[in-house]
Amino acid sequence: MILQLVRRNLRVYFRDRASVFFSMLGVIIIIGLYLLFLGNQIAGAGEAAGENARFMMDSWIMGGVVAAASITTAMGAFGTMVDDTQKKIIRDFEVSPVRRWQLVLAYVLSSVCIGILMSFFTFGLAEAYILINGGMLVSLFAFVEVIGLTVLSVCSSCAFVFFLTCFMRTSNAFSTASTILGTIVGFLTGAYIPMGVLPEAVQTVIRIFPVSHAAVLYRRIMIDEAVALELLPADIRQFLGIEFLFGDFVMPAWGHVLILVGTAVVFYALSIVVVARRKHQS
Amino acid sequence: MNKIIEVSGLTKNYGPIQAVKNIDFYVEAGKLFAFLGPNGAGKSTTINIICTLLQKDAGGVVVDGFELGKDDQKIRERIGIVFQESVLDQYLTVEENLFTRGSIYGLSRHTVEENTAKAMKVTNIADLAKRRYGTLSGGQRRRTDIARALINRPKILFLDEPTTGLDPQTRKSVWDMIEELRRDEGMTIFLTTHYMEEAEKADFVIVIDDGVIAAKGTPAELKDKYSNDSLRIKPTDRDAAIRILKEAGAAFTETADLIVVPIRATIDALPLLGRLEGLIAGFQVLNGTMDDAFIGITGKEIRE
């Protein structure tokens, strides 16, 4: 029953080409800005990598891009849920013997599927870009890490977006929100500009934003293919957001993983509370 | 007599507005039941409550032996509903739409496939199976909507204004299909409408206005009770004709070139016509219509 609903949601999402495109828009903007303006400005940061400077900086930007994709595509996927409510299609499910929780679970599961598929697609494009510019594909081990990280990152993003979506009743509000998110996600993951350039206050916001932790991990995995991370000076690592500093404490990889898992759990729980309370009211 | 739906004391408020005020009625199994009323009378509210979509504020509803509010899932398994607005997915084909909706009833894959094929056959849309719902015409969509409502082989089919917004030809084909379902499948049909000619085809009609039941009965009973037959005569000698009518004690109204005499039954026209012979050029005897009955019941023309 749930599987059939998930299949239906996937079809509804992928058949609407425009919405698929728009859910990738945030990602396209980041790549565009990088190609047009930012690439030269930050090339200096890659000096430590020597002849792999280009490879390293491409890996850096693409790490941020893949992380951003996980959240913008999750947002696009949740559009189906908002549309169904607005167009009253949801009533068709409500007069069927399908339970409310099954319906909501199907929306979440399909968004996770879409997020994972689209993030892999983005990762594929990222690798192609790196390869074309003289870099190399990630090793098999790194690829396995990327798979795990993508699942984790998408789960966390979906939870976050699900929570946001709970407060949106109209497609209009939702599409405005997803445009805003698509635009600022580049800043929030430190992908438009290295986070070191930004004021301390903004850097703090970035450190709190769940997906930026996924971005850190993507960068670590991908940049490590170009240059061993230990060879990079600590200030460069922090400038590029390859590691986060909380006070004097450098957050280890497991810390980022823990944050992703934690935010996923917290936001799913909060969303369930909101959805359950809403049902009670109506 | 087998009552498949029983409603008693049903009440629903939207804030201070009472949409449905303490109504009672029942629907017999296998019959075509029409809910007639102007827009905003409470038709959709009532149908939505019976279909488990809206919470009632008071009263009891029993559908096929199951109590609303307690056995909602059982009720949902037994009903099909065609909404006023379409609720299917634009980008999915007719077949995909039907199959997806069919598979949320907990039936086996084989049964769902069978039901999908059957529903398409009954509604005559088999040749549209691979077309996307969004590309269909209004009439084709409506038929697909009905096919969707039939996907779980329901005992009761609800149709909320099924023909609103369709052209006359499509309206007729949709209507033929509804009658066929009742006749061939023995399905109970519950529909709301504000078209008189549709209510006229029902086995039983309830007129609802301002949230209360204003009248109920078979179409013939309603017409009998609430509308008059009339005799229309075209006089050659107007004054003489009027004098005779006055002598006979008949009430009448005059229009431009006609005199309209309300009569209890069409047969009552005969003696009058006998006396008027020679003074009239022609006449017409008309049965009361559902329109007249409706105006007689609610005191207003149907509000569009």
Side-chain angles (χ1 to χ4, degrees), chain A residues 83-234:
Chain A
D83 275 353
D84 284 354
T85 314
Q86 159 124 29
K87 292 186 198 155
K88 297 186 176 171
I89 289 176
I90 201 144
R91 295 201 305 179
D92 199 30
F93 297 117
E94 285 169 354
V95 292
S96 318
V98 54
R99 308 245 174 215
R100 178 118 190 127
W101 66 265
Q102 294 173 315
L103 198 56
V104 174
L105 183 62
Y107 284 126
V108 175
L109 284 179
S110 43
S111 299
V112 170
C113 288
I114 290 168
I116 290 174
L117 282 172
M118 296 305 285
S119 297
F120 278 141
F121 176 70
T122 311
F123 180 73
L125 290 184
E127 285 294 284
Y129 177 84
I130 291 169
L131 198 63
I132 288 166
N133 280 317
M136 284 180 305
L137 295 179
V138 290
S139 65
L140 187 65
F141 181 70
F143 182 64
V144 173
E145 281 184 317
V146 165
I147 291 175
L149 175 56
T150 304
V151 173
L152 194 60
S153 162
V154 168
C155 284
S156 164
S157 301
C158 276
F160 180 72
V161 173
F162 182 28
F163 181 65
L164 284 184
T165 312
C166 289
F167 298 98
M168 286 165 210
R169 305 223 165 189
T170 64
S171 302
N172 235 332
F174 182 78
S175 62
T176 308
S178 60
T179 308
I180 294 174
L181 189 76
T183 317
I184 63 170
V185 71
F187 289 110
L188 290 178
T189 53
Y192 283 149
I193 316 176
M195 60 184 286
V197 177
L198 299 166
E200 187 53 39
V202 181
Q203 289 194 34
T204 309
V205 174
I206 292 176
R207 288 192 200 101
I208 316 176
F209 194 59
V211 190
S212 42
H213 293 272
V216 168
L217 294 175
Y218 276 118
R219 287 187 196 118
R220 286 198 189 171
I221 297 170
M222 292 169 74
I223 292 177
D224 201 38
E225 300 294 307
V227 51
L229 290 176
E230 312 81 75
L231 294 182
L232 293 174

Side-chain angles (χ1 to χ4, degrees), chain B residues 4-76:
Chain B
I4 199 162
I5 301 177
E6 267 192 279
V7 174
S8 53
L10 185 66
T11 301
K12 173 73 187 175
N13 305 320
Y14 294 110
I17 300 156
Q18 272 197 299
V20 176
K21 302 167 189 165
N22 194 23
I23 62 172
D24 307 272
F25 65 90
Y26 61 85
V27 178
E28 274 181 69
K31 294 287 170 69
L32 174 51
F33 180 93
F35 232 41
L36 179 68
N39 288 336
K43 288 175 298 185
S44 292
T45 304
T46 309
I47 222 172
N48 283 344
I49 291 172
I50 300 174
C51 293
T52 75
L53 268 179
L54 267 178
Q55 293 265 342
K56 59 183 164 32
D57 288 331
V61 179
V62 178
V63 180
D64 198 25
F66 294 99
E67 198 182 327
L68 186 78
K70 281 190 185 150
D71 296 309
D72 285 4
Q73 296 290 3
K74 293 277 183 210
I75 294 177
R76 288 175 186 143

Side-chain angles (χ1 to χ4, degrees), chain A residues 1 4-5 7-8 11-12 15-17 84 87-99 282, chain B residues 48 51-53 73 76-77 81 83 85 87-89 91-92 96 99-101 103-106 132 148:
Chain A
M1 194 182 275
Q4 286 300 332
L5 283 172
R7 234 177 104 192
R8 175 255 171 192
R11 275 184 177 149
V12 169
R15 295 250 172 107
D16 186 1
R17 305 275 173 223
D84 284 354
K87 292 186 198 155
K88 297 186 176 171
I89 289 176
I90 201 144
R91 295 201 305 179
D92 199 30
F93 297 117
E94 285 169 354
V95 292
S96 318
V98 54
R99 308 245 174 215
S282 58
Chain B
N48 283 344
C51 293
T52 75
L53 268 179
Q73 296 290 3
R76 288 175 186 143
E77 283 168 13
I81 174 162
F83 293 95
E85 320 87 1
V87 288
L88 295 177
D89 295 314
Y91 291 104
L92 265 54
E96 286 167 344
F99 186 81
T100 333
R101 300 303 202 265
S103 56
I104 54 181
Y105 285 87
R132 288 195 182 181
R148 149 68 185 103

Side-chain angles (χ1 to χ4, degrees), chain A residues 232-270:
Chain A
L232 293 174
D235 60 331
I236 290 281
R237 289 202 297 254
Q238 280 142 29
F239 178 78
L240 290 177
I242 299 168
E243 62 186 30
F244 281 175
L245 211 56
F246 286 91
D248 290 332
F249 173 68
V250 175
M251 180 158 283
W254 59 263
H256 294 293
V257 171
L258 214 61
I259 285 182
L260 287 173
V261 174
T263 50
V265 171
V266 169
F267 281 117
Y268 280 128
L270 285 176

